[in-house]
Amino acid sequence: MGKKLNPHEDGYDAKLKLLQIELVKLQRQVISSGSRLLIILEGRDTAGKDGTIKAITEHLSPRESHVVALSKPTDREEGEWYFQRYVAELPSSGEIVIFNRSWYNRAGVEKVMGFCTDTQYKQFMDSVNEFESLIIKSGTQLIKYYLDIDKEEQAKRLKSRETDPLKQWKISPIDQQAQKKWKDYSLARNAMLKKTSSALAPWTVINANDKKLTHLNLIRDLLARTNYQNKDKKLLIFDSKVVMPCPPLGNKAPNLAP
């Protein structure tokens, strides 16, 4: 008797391929029009940012698409304007750039782990909307995603990292604090979404408990929110239980893991 398919997995590869064809169309449009697209992926530790980025970029031209995952700032960078090192990574004409974590480190891990002062945190929260407004008004399209998972799913994924030799590089002291500081991260996430989901650059929360549904639905939403020729709109219907737009500035956010 054959193996019974998980309904979430049935047809995943075929669905992803069709969406990746749409992504290639999008990139062709970005290149030909000289436009700039910036995608920010934030989220819980183990929420699946790496896998999602791989699904997006797998068939894109590496010359015009870049993934930015900055390491800990150097001593010199510590003395710079906070946004300075990120500005250098913003897309140029005809480019798609994906930030695997971004300036929102300050609103998340730095806040929770005590890597910034209360003053630095407040300065960031008070200025980030204006900073993003300048980016957008200069002609860059900015799309922000927050990948959220529940505590039990995160525990399972952290355990998998410990036993899978191909995931050993992902283990870090910060990840090991994720479960202990779960509530603190939840509070920081809520404050960030409430203060920084602006009308120009709103957040979209992704229920990332199922990795394959995450990939398919995030890509559908991304494609639906961008302009390109020969768009196959029937492919871009996303699951509203996975893709949850966050209302702008202070309005009630989607139901998230507490």
Side-chain angles (χ1 to χ4, degrees), residues 24-207:
V24 171
K25 293 179 189 178
L26 168 61
Q27 183 174 50
R28 190 182 304 130
Q29 182 72 31
V30 169
I31 293 169
S32 64
S33 64
S35 51
R36 303 188 294 268
L37 176 59
L38 175 61
I39 303 163
I40 287 178
L41 261 66
E42 292 287 343
R44 298 271 191 184
D45 292 323
T46 76
K49 293 179 291 296
D50 293 329
T52 302
I53 290 171
K54 181 179 178 181
I56 295 170
T57 61
E58 187 174 9
H59 296 290
L60 298 184
S61 166
R63 289 188 298 275
E64 289 86 15
S65 56
H66 309 287
V67 177
V68 177
L70 297 182
S71 58
K72 179 182 176 181
T74 64
D75 289 343
R76 186 180 189 280
E77 288 170 337
E78 287 280 6
E80 295 175 348
W81 174 49
Y82 177 70
F83 295 104
Q84 188 166 331
R85 68 185 190 136
Y86 294 103
V87 170
E89 305 293 342
L90 294 177
S92 184
S93 175
E95 289 184 343
I96 299 172
V97 170
I98 303 176
F99 278 9
N100 185 349
R101 296 199 183 277
S102 66
W103 42 79
Y104 284 103
N105 275 336
R106 178 136 295 176
V109 65
E110 290 189 20
K111 166 67 173 173
V112 172
M113 298 298 293
F115 296 157
C116 68
T117 66
D118 290 342
T119 298
Q120 289 172 327
Y121 170 77
K122 185 176 186 303
Q123 287 173 340
F124 170 82
M125 295 291 275
D126 288 343
S127 62
V128 65
N129 290 341
E130 183 178 1
F131 173 68
E132 291 178 353
S133 175
L134 290 172
I135 292 173
I136 294 164
K137 290 178 180 178
S138 75
T140 297
Q141 183 174 7
L142 172 58
I143 301 176
K144 304 189 299 193
Y145 292 105
Y146 185 91
L147 277 60
D148 203 49
I149 55 176
D150 61 38
K151 190 174 183 180
E152 293 74 20
E153 180 63 23
Q154 185 185 68
K156 283 168 38 180
R157 294 184 187 184
L158 288 169
K159 189 67 175 177
S160 173
R161 287 184 179 183
E162 294 175 5
T163 57
D164 187 341
L166 296 177
K167 297 179 180 179
Q168 294 292 301
W169 64 273
K170 292 187 174 185
I171 299 174
S172 74
I174 292 176
D175 287 347
Q176 292 168 352
Q177 293 293 315
Q179 289 273 290
K180 294 178 182 178
K181 294 183 177 291
W182 178 269
K183 185 175 181 180
D184 292 334
Y185 274 111
S186 294
L187 293 172
R189 173 204 61 196
N190 295 347
M192 181 189 77
L193 294 176
K194 182 176 180 180
K195 188 73 182 284
T196 69
S197 191
S198 67
L200 280 177
W203 283 100
T204 298
V205 176
I206 304 294
N207 178 345

